[in-house]
């Protein structure tokens, strides 16, 4: 942990550049949403405040992920290609844990603050009553969302044991998951099938939309249970896939 | 029971075969020919606790692959191995805690941070008690003369300095089994010697079991009790170095010092003259003829000193790989 901080601070310029990018990113999102709501009052039933909450929640999930594991996982193909994975496997710690959490990217703290800002703005502008129970449900589903996102990322990146050169894999994953930033109700336009797919099969709905709905008390405890089961199930699947993949690791040269 | 037991260990890599050129690359996108390369073929050996064993073999012989399987990095295609009572590739935490692998061509230290930070991280990972850590670090740093370099970023260190740090990193948690994969590769003669001496010291004090691979004969000669020669994935020899030399070389060297100048022509009737500057000479004679030749030289030439030596081990190894079975004892 301390080493991560040192690693982060080691490149001071990089650290501040990162903070600046995050601020810029939050600003861009705000302007984008403001522009949309200049022209309309709701998107698929979502008001301006709710949209800010949605985008903020998605940013929060991504910020937590980026801090904990995203950077590490996106580096996995490199580790495999160059064979530095050898040292990871050599350590007396769970290899999956080590690969996922090796560096805690503390320079992503700016992103967390930005996400917090978006959420606070959203809550203030969405005229909905937020109860203690719904905050609890929201928090619980955020945890599930991070676990789901982690499991999806790990499974995608684990493919690099066979594909070796897949730098673009993580970018592809990011693009797909950023669908979660749009209100799921939009996809109803494509039929119930699309909504079902995004809720249960590729559970992007759980990454942001459903936690936000939980905050408004708009979903049943059944959906929350589904979210929890999906998180546990996907995590187990990802872990199994990982240990299977490690067996086919072939290292690189001497 | 042996500390390390390996039976019929085999590793086959499946690699896509890429055809050269653009057309080949495009073709490779759709259909790929997969070739199977057997890097290690039914390798078996045993190593007792406290032994230091050298793995010798040309590039691509399978030495590193064997080490990687023994350290749990690679899953074998078939065969069995037991190290410290564990199956390496199950990668039990208890096992990984007791072993260490140094690769001369890769670095495990944190590139952008001083080596000292990497050591601290390893201390945490391997749960080394503070007291042991400090004592061991001091020992290692003194032995390797690393003092002021500990706080320099690893990327600013020279190769030799980095290798020393790698060794500290590998030994800081006092592993019982140490795998060293070409620890002296690319180093200058002085650094090589330094690392060899350090390893000798460590061997004596720590009593760990060591498997060492190297291309430098001197590493093997000075450090190893036993040598395992691997060629094309199979073990072709496994015994003491002296036995290797006597088995694969059918001749010996007589090293002579003369009281007064002796012409090469006078030496040639005893054997093959390898060098002669008039006062000292080296004559190669057949093993079975050694005693007779030595006696004859002593009685006929003004010799002040004579020593009988085995042929240089390096030379022997070269023969093993170039001639292979040719050098059986009956051939001599």
């Amino acid at each position: 942990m301390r080493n991560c901080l040192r690693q982060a601070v080691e490149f001071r310029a990089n650290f501040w550049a990162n903070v600046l990018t995050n601020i810029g990113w939050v600003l861009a999102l705000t302007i984008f949403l403001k522009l949309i709501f200049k022209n309309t009052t709701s998107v698929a039933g979502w008001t301006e405040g709710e949209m800010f909450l949605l985008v903020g929640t998605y940013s929060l999930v991504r910020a937590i992920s980026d801090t904990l594991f995203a950077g590490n996982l996106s580096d996995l193909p490199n580790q495999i290609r160059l064979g530095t994975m050898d040292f990871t496997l050599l350590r007396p710690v769970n290899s999956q844990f080590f690969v996922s959490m090796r560096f805690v990217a503390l320079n992503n703290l700016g992103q967390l603050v930005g996400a917090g800002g978006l959420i606070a703005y959203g809550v203030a502008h969405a005229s909905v009553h937020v109860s203690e129970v719904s905050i609890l449900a929201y928090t619980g589903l955020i945890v599930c969302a991070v676990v789901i996102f982690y499991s999806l990322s790990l499974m995608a990146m684990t493919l690099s044991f066979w594909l070796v050169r897949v730098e673009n894999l993580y970018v592809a994953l990011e693009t797909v998951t950023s669908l979660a930033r749009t209100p799921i109700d939009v996809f109803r336009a494509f039929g119930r099938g699309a909504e079902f797919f995004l809720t249960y099969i590729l559970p992007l709905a759980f990454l942001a939309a459903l936690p936000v709905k939980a905050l408004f008390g708009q979903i049943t405890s059944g959906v929350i249970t589904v979210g929890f089961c999906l998180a546990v199930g996907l995590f187990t699947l990802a872990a199994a896939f990982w240990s299977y993949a490690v067996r086919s690791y072939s290292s690189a040269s001497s | 029971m042996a500390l390390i037991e390996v039976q019929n260990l085999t590793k086959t890599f499946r690699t896509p075969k890429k055809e050269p050129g653009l057309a080949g690359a495009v073709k490779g996108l759709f259909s790929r020919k997969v070739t199977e390369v057997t890097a290690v073929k039914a390798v078996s050996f045993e190593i007792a606790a406290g032994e230091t064993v050298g793995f010798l073999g040309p590039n691509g012989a399978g030495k590193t692959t064997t080490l990687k399987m023994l350290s749990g990095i690679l899953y074998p295609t078939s065969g069995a191995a037991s190290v410290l009572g564990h199956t390496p590739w199950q990668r039990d935490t208890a096992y990984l805690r007791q072993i260490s692998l140094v690769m001369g061509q890769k670095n495990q230290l944190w590139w952008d941070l001083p080596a000292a930070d990497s050591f601290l991280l390893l201390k945490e990972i391997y749960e080394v008690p503070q007291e042991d850590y400090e004592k061991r670090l001091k020992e290692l740093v003194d032995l390797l003369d690393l003092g002021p370099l500990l706080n320099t970023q690893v990327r600013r260190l020279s190769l030799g300095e980095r290798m020393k740090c790698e060794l500290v990193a590998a030994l800081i948690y006092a592993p019982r089994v140490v795998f060293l994969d070409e620890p002296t590769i690319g180093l200058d003669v002085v650094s090589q010697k330094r690392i060899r001496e350090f390893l000798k010291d460590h061997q004596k004090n720590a009593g760990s079991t060591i498997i060492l691979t190297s291309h430098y004969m001197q590493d093997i000669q000075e450090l190893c009790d036993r040598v395992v020669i691997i060629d094309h994935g199979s073990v072709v020899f496994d015994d003491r170095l002296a036995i290797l030399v006597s088995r694969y070389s059918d001749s010996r060297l007589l090293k002579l010092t003369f009281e007064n100048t002796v012409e090469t022509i006078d030496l040639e009737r005893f054997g093959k003259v390898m060098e002669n500057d008039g006062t000292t000479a080296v004559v190669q004679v057949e093993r079975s003829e050694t005693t007779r030749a030595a006696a004859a030289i002593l009685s006929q030439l003004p010799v002040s000193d004579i020593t009988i030596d085995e042929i240089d081990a390096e030379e022997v190894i070269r023969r093993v790989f170039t001639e292979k079975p040719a050098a059986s004892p009956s051939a001599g």
Side-chain angles (χ1 to χ4, degrees), chain A residues 59-145:
Chain A
S59 305
L60 178 68
V61 170
R62 285 301 306 274
I64 297 173
S65 305
D66 285 356
T67 308
L68 293 181
F69 56 80
N72 301 320
L73 285 183
S74 61
D75 187 48
L76 186 62
N78 268 331
Q79 275 205 45
I80 290 170
R81 194 169 57 83
L82 301 175
T84 43
M85 183 73 190
D86 291 3
F87 290 112
T88 306
L89 292 176
L90 209 56
R91 302 288 172 232
V93 273
N94 182 305
S95 60
Q96 184 196 328
F97 172 78
F98 200 60
V99 156
S100 310
M101 309 253 195
R102 158 177 314 201
F103 297 106
V104 176
L106 293 169
N107 47 1
N108 273 314
L109 287 177
Q111 206 181 330
L112 275 172
V113 175
L118 288 170
I119 292 171
Y121 183 86
V123 172
H125 285 74
S127 44
V128 204
H129 175 68
V130 176
S131 71
E132 275 150 20
V133 180
S134 62
I135 290 181
L136 199 67
Y138 176 73
T139 317
L141 279 181
I142 292 279
V143 174
C144 290

Side-chain angles (χ1 to χ4, degrees), chain A residues 2-3 6-7 10-11 83 86-87 89-92 95 98 103 246-247 249-254, chain B residues 13 64 68 71 73-75 91 93 96 101 103 105-108 110 112 117 120-122 126 153:
Chain A
R2 219 178 55 196
N3 275 0
R6 295 204 53 174
Q7 174 98 351
E10 188 73 34
F11 298 102
D86 291 3
F87 290 112
L89 292 176
L90 209 56
R91 302 288 172 232
S95 60
F98 200 60
F103 297 106
V246 164
R247 289 175 165 220
Y249 175 57
S250 58
S251 194
S253 189
S254 45
Chain B
F13 289 109
T64 305
K68 281 180 179 170
S71 48
I73 293 172
L74 293 179
Y75 226 82
R91 298 196 298 106
T93 308
L96 296 175
L101 169 69
M103 289 186 269
Q105 321 235 43
K106 278 179 199 164
N107 65 305
Q108 59 171 322
W110 224 307
D112 296 315
D117 287 323
L120 268 177
L121 181 76
L122 288 170
Y126 288 88
Q153 287 164 331

Side-chain angles (χ1 to χ4, degrees), chain A residues 14-234:
Chain A
N14 190 33
F15 180 84
W16 287 113
N18 215 307
V19 170
L20 277 178
T21 334
N22 284 323
I23 293 173
W25 197 66
V26 169
L27 274 177
L29 271 175
T30 311
I31 293 168
F32 177 66
L33 285 178
K34 279 280 174 201
L35 276 176
I36 289 178
F37 287 99
K38 272 261 182 305
N39 299 305
T40 177
T41 47
S42 82
V43 175
W46 291 64
T47 63
E48 182 180 352
E50 288 167 348
M51 273 305 279
F52 265 96
L53 250 172
L54 179 68
V55 171
T57 304
Y58 177 75
S59 305
L60 178 68
V61 170
R62 285 301 306 274
I64 297 173
S65 305
D66 285 356
T67 308
L68 293 181
F69 56 80
N72 301 320
L73 285 183
S74 61
D75 187 48
L76 186 62
N78 268 331
Q79 275 205 45
I80 290 170
R81 194 169 57 83
L82 301 175
T84 43
M85 183 73 190
D86 291 3
F87 290 112
T88 306
L89 292 176
L90 209 56
R91 302 288 172 232
V93 273
N94 182 305
S95 60
Q96 184 196 328
F97 172 78
F98 200 60
V99 156
S100 310
M101 309 253 195
R102 158 177 314 201
F103 297 106
V104 176
L106 293 169
N107 47 1
N108 273 314
L109 287 177
Q111 206 181 330
L112 275 172
V113 175
L118 288 170
I119 292 171
Y121 183 86
V123 172
H125 285 74
S127 44
V128 204
H129 175 68
V130 176
S131 71
E132 275 150 20
V133 180
S134 62
I135 290 181
L136 199 67
Y138 176 73
T139 317
L141 279 181
I142 292 279
V143 174
C144 290
V146 172
V147 174
I148 289 171
F149 184 65
Y150 169 72
S151 308
L152 292 177
S153 309
L154 181 64
M155 281 192 275
M157 297 322 284
T158 302
L159 287 175
S160 54
F161 274 98
W162 294 278
L163 305 174
V164 181
R165 198 133 195 188
V166 281
E167 283 97 347
N168 296 331
L169 200 59
Y170 201 79
V171 180
L173 182 84
E174 275 186 322
T175 313
V176 171
T177 50
S178 67
L179 277 181
R181 216 162 34 188
T182 37
I184 42 161
D185 309 72
V186 169
F187 294 103
R188 221 169 267 160
F190 299 114
R192 300 292 297 180
E195 198 186 351
F196 179 83
F197 180 79
L198 290 176
T199 310
Y200 300 103
I201 312 295
L202 184 67
L204 297 182
F206 276 101
L207 291 189
L210 292 174
V212 170
K213 286 194 167 189
L215 189 64
F216 300 153
Q218 284 175 6
I219 54 172
T220 60
S221 57
V223 177
I224 298 174
T225 316
V226 169
F228 181 74
C229 292
L230 274 171
V232 173
L234 282 173

Side-chain angles (χ1 to χ4, degrees), chain B residues 201-246:
Chain B
D201 256 14
H202 177 79
Q203 212 176 7
K204 230 186 299 163
N205 302 332
S208 34
T209 309
I210 301 175
I211 298 186
L212 169 91
T213 79
S214 179
H215 290 302
Y216 303 115
M217 203 49 222
Q218 217 166 347
D219 289 350
I220 307 274
Q221 258 171 322
E222 290 188 22
L223 294 169
C224 303
D225 318 311
R226 216 173 97 200
V227 50
V228 173
I229 299 185
I230 301 182
D231 193 18
H232 291 96
S234 311
V235 172
V236 293
F237 177 87
D238 176 1
D239 212 324
R240 290 192 5 252
L241 193 62
I243 292 182
L244 171 81
V245 173
S246 66

